[in-house]
Amino acid sequence: MVTTVSRTDDVRARAEAALARSGVELGAVKGDALAARTPITGAELFGLRADTVEGVDRAVEAAHAAFLGWRSVPAPVRGALVKRFGELLGEHKEHLADLVTVEAGKIRSEALGEVQEMIDICDFAVGLSRQLYGRTMPSERPGHRLMETWHPLGVVGVISAFNFPVAVWAWNAAVALVCGDTVVWKPSELTPLTALACTALLDRAIAETGAPAHLNQIVLGGAEIGERLVDSPLVPLVSATGSTRMGRAVGPRVAARFGRSILELGGNNAAVVTPSADLDLTVNAAVFAAAGTAGQRCTTLRRLIVHDDVADAVVERLTAAYGRLPIGDPFQESTLVGPLVSEASYARMRSALDRAVEEGGTLCAGGERQLAEAAPGGYYVRPALVRMPAQTAVVREETFAPILYVLTYRDLDEAIRLHNDVPQGLSSGIFTADQREAERFLAVDGADCGIVNVNIGTSGAEIGGAFGGEKETGGGRESGSDAWRAYMRRATNTVNYSGRVALAQGVDFSQ
C-alpha cells in the first residue's frame, strides 16, 4: 500500500507555523548559510543562518559564565526550571511533532512519541533534582566521617543526530540542568528547525522561572562547528550521538584534553527467535523494530536469528507483513513507513542489498523505491527482508536503512555466538516461552549488549532505564537509572571530629 505525498509549499507552511507558535522569530534565524530541507519531498524549505567557529567559542564562554552562578542554585530550584520546560513541551507537543515530521520524516505517531520522551525525561529529572545522593562510608579511623559528594561538572556539549532530533538532546539537557550544568547544543545540520523550536521554549522557561540566561546555547552548522565544540577546554563533557566513524573522531579528541565523553554510536541489533516463541507476538514486534522510522534508528532490528524449526514460518509471515506496510507521506495517519532522510541513504541501502545478494543472500521482500513520480526528490522504499546463509561481511556492518537479515541456528549457544559476533553492542532481544532460554540470554555469557530484552523488540527504550551500549556502540549511558553521575564530579570527603590526628592504615608520623 502506497499513500500520497504533501506538496513542498504545504510542508513549508506547516514548518513556519510550528516555528512561530513555538516562539521562534523567523526573521532572526533565516539566512543563506544552511539549508532547511524536508525528506518528505526532498526540497529545500528555506535558508538559515549558521554559526562560525568564533561563534562556538562565544556560545561556550556564555554557557560557562552562566554555569558559575547556576552551580550554586539548589538542585530542587534547578528542577523548577526543568518542570516548567516540560509543561511548555506539553503545550507545544503538536507543533514540535510537526517539525520532527517535516525534518526527519517520522510518521505522526513516532513524532508525537519523540516529543513525549522529552516530557518524560523532564518529569524524571525533576524527581532527580531531590535525589542526587552521595554515600557515607564507615571510616577505619575513630572520630572520622567518610563520605562522597557530587558537584556540577560544567558546560556539557551535546551533538545530536537527525533521527532523534529532539529527544536525545532532552535526555542530556534535562539531566544536565538539574545537575547544575549548562549546555551547548550542536544539532544535526539536517534538523536545525526542531532545535530552534526547543531552544525557544527552553529560553521561555528560563525567563519565566528567573533562571540565569544562556543556560542552553545552540550552534548551527556542519562538522567544523562540532569539532570546535569537541576541542573546547571549557567543555568538560561531550555527549555525542552518531555513527561509529564519528565516535572514532570525537572520542580521542576529547580524551586528548582529558575531557569526558558519552558516546552513543552504531547499533547492529539482533533478536533470537526460539522454537517456543509466540510467532504472532514475534512478527509484530520485529516489523516495528525493523521498519519503524524507515529503519533509521540506532536500535533498529537489523538481524533476526531464527531457529531452523520455525525459520520458514517466520520468513513467510514477515514477507506478508512487509507487503502490507503503508508507505508514504508521514503526515498521513495511515502511513507506517515514511521516507529515508536523503538520496545518499537510499544509495547505501541499495549497495548493501546488492552486496547481500553477492554474498549468497536471497531477497524475500522489499528494497524497491516507491513514489518516485509523485516525489522525485523523496526517497521512499519498501523495507527489505533478506535471508542469509551465514553472517557475512555486509551483515556485520550497520546499514542505516530498513534491511532485516534473517539467519538460522540449531542450538541456543550457536544463536548467542551469532548474536555477539558483530562489532556493535547496543540493543538485543530474545523471543521465547522458555524461562531457561530467557535467563541464559540475560546471563553474563549471554547477549553482550547494553540493552537486553525478552519478548520485546530492540527499539522502544524507556526513560527510566539507562540507555547505551558496548563495544563500538561507545559505552556511554544517558537518560535514566544513575546516568546522572556522568554529568557531575565526585568528591570524597573526610571529616575529622576526634580532636587528634589519626592516619590511615595505622601510620605513625609523630616522631
Side-chain angles (χ1 to χ4, degrees):
M1 177 181 174
V2 179
T3 65
T4 59
V5 176
S6 298
R7 295 184 304 114
T8 298
D9 288 346
D10 295 333
V11 177
R12 182 183 295 112
R14 198 158 189 163
E16 290 182 340
L19 287 167
R21 290 167 183 165
S22 300
V24 177
E25 296 183 14
L26 290 174
V29 299
K30 286 187 175 180
D32 57 7
L34 186 66
R37 306 183 68 86
T38 177
I40 296 174
T41 65
E44 180 177 335
L45 300 177
F46 43 79
L48 296 171
R49 64 167 180 81
D51 287 278
T52 62
V53 291
E54 293 78 14
V56 176
D57 294 342
R58 290 191 293 271
V60 170
E61 288 164 3
H64 178 70
F67 163 72
L68 296 179
W70 185 241
R71 63 184 176 180
S72 299
V73 174
V77 178
R78 300 193 296 249
L81 163 62
V82 176
K83 180 180 180 181
R84 179 59 184 143
F85 179 49
E87 292 169 348
L88 290 174
L89 291 175
E91 294 171 17
H92 293 272
K93 185 174 180 178
E94 297 283 338
H95 308 143
L96 293 172
D98 278 353
L99 293 172
V100 171
T101 297
V102 165
E103 290 195 296
K106 286 191 173 181
I107 64 172
R108 190 66 180 166
S109 61
E110 289 187 316
L112 288 167
E114 179 166 356
V115 180
Q116 186 61 49
E117 281 193 40
M118 302 174 72
I119 298 167
D120 292 345
I121 193 61
C122 287
D123 287 345
F124 177 89
V126 171
L128 181 64
S129 69
R130 296 180 182 271
Q131 300 179 74
L132 301 174
Y133 299 138
R135 296 184 178 93
T136 298
M137 293 79 74
S139 173
E140 66 186 52
R141 291 170 285 185
H144 288 63
R145 179 159 59 90
L146 183 63
M147 63 182 181
E148 63 183 23
T149 50
W150 292 84
H151 302 292
L153 190 59
V155 179
V156 177
V158 178
I159 300 174
S160 58
F162 80 88
N163 60 327
F164 278 86
V166 292
V168 172
W169 164 76
W171 291 357
N172 286 276
V175 174
L177 287 170
V178 299
C179 287
D181 302 324
T182 56
V183 177
V184 177
W185 180 16
K186 192 276 179 194
S188 168
E189 55 266 44
L190 298 177
T191 53
L193 303 182
T194 49
L196 289 168
C198 289
T199 297
L201 291 174
L202 181 52
D203 285 347
R204 178 179 163 186
I206 288 169
E208 290 179 358
T209 58
H214 309 306
L215 293 180
N216 179 77
Q217 300 286 290
I218 182 175
V219 289
L220 301 180
E224 72 283 358
I225 300 302
E227 289 171 1
R228 191 72 164 199
L229 183 60
V230 164
D231 291 338
S232 175
L234 288 178
V235 180
L237 174 64
V238 174
S239 179
T241 303
S243 67
T244 297
R245 179 182 59 81
M246 182 270 284
R248 291 190 195 281
V250 170
R253 292 178 77 143
V254 176
R257 60 176 179 83
F258 298 101
R260 304 183 192 178
S261 59
I262 299 173
L263 300 176
E264 300 292 353
L265 310 175
N268 192 353
N269 314 292
V272 174
V273 182
T274 72
S276 66
D278 178 330
L279 295 190
D280 289 336
L281 181 152
T282 299
V283 170
N284 286 339
V287 170
F288 169 71
T293 322
Q296 299 171 121
R297 291 186 179 215
C298 55
T299 55
T300 290
L301 179 63
R302 308 202 182 280
R303 298 175 296 137
L304 199 63
I305 303 168
V306 189
H307 193 276
D308 281 335
D309 291 350
V310 294
D312 289 343
V314 169
V315 169
E316 181 180 352
R317 291 183 183 217
L318 285 171
T319 300
Y322 272 35
R324 295 191 299 268
L325 284 173
I327 300 165
D329 189 339
F331 277 117
Q332 296 291 328
E333 292 292 337
S334 60
T335 299
L336 292 182
V337 180
L340 293 174
V341 74
S342 66
E343 180 182 4
S345 295
Y346 174 67
R348 285 190 288 268
M349 179 179 179
R350 288 304 321 168
S351 175
L353 289 174
D354 291 343
R355 286 180 58 196
V357 172
E358 290 172 3
E359 294 173 8
T362 300
L363 180 61
C364 301
E368 65 273 14
R369 188 178 174 192
Q370 312 282 302
L371 294 165
E373 293 185 6
Y379 287 85
Y380 297 81
V381 295
R382 187 162 295 282
L385 182 69
V386 186
R387 194 159 182 174
M388 298 297 295
Q391 190 151 270
T392 62
V394 72
V395 180
R396 298 182 76 252
E397 299 173 4
E398 179 191 36
T399 300
F400 217 61
I403 302 175
L404 179 59
Y405 300 109
V406 178
L407 306 162
T408 59
Y409 75 95
R410 284 304 307 166
D411 64 70
L412 190 57
D413 285 343
E414 179 189 3
I416 291 173
R417 284 195 300 271
L418 278 171
H419 176 280
N420 293 347
D421 186 28
V422 294
Q424 311 85 359
L426 179 53
S427 187
S428 58
I430 186 170
F431 292 91
T432 180
D434 187 325
Q435 184 70 22
R436 291 171 299 180
E437 290 178 328
E439 295 294 343
R440 172 75 177 84
F441 195 70
L442 296 170
V444 66
D445 57 348
D448 63 358
C449 294
I451 300 169
V452 186
N453 299 326
V454 176
N455 291 327
I456 190 171
T458 54
S459 58
E462 293 188 33
I463 287 299
F467 181 89
E470 302 301 323
K471 302 190 294 187
E472 287 189 2
T473 301
R477 293 296 185 275
E478 296 170 311
S479 187
S481 186
D482 64 348
W484 62 270
R485 294 171 184 259
Y487 302 83
M488 305 194 80
R489 61 179 179 86
R490 184 198 319 243
T492 301
N493 313 128
T494 304
V495 178
N496 177 9
Y497 58 90
S498 69
R500 62 187 183 86
V501 175
L503 302 180
Q505 290 85 42
V507 173
D508 185 356
F509 217 74
S510 60
Q511 299 301 317

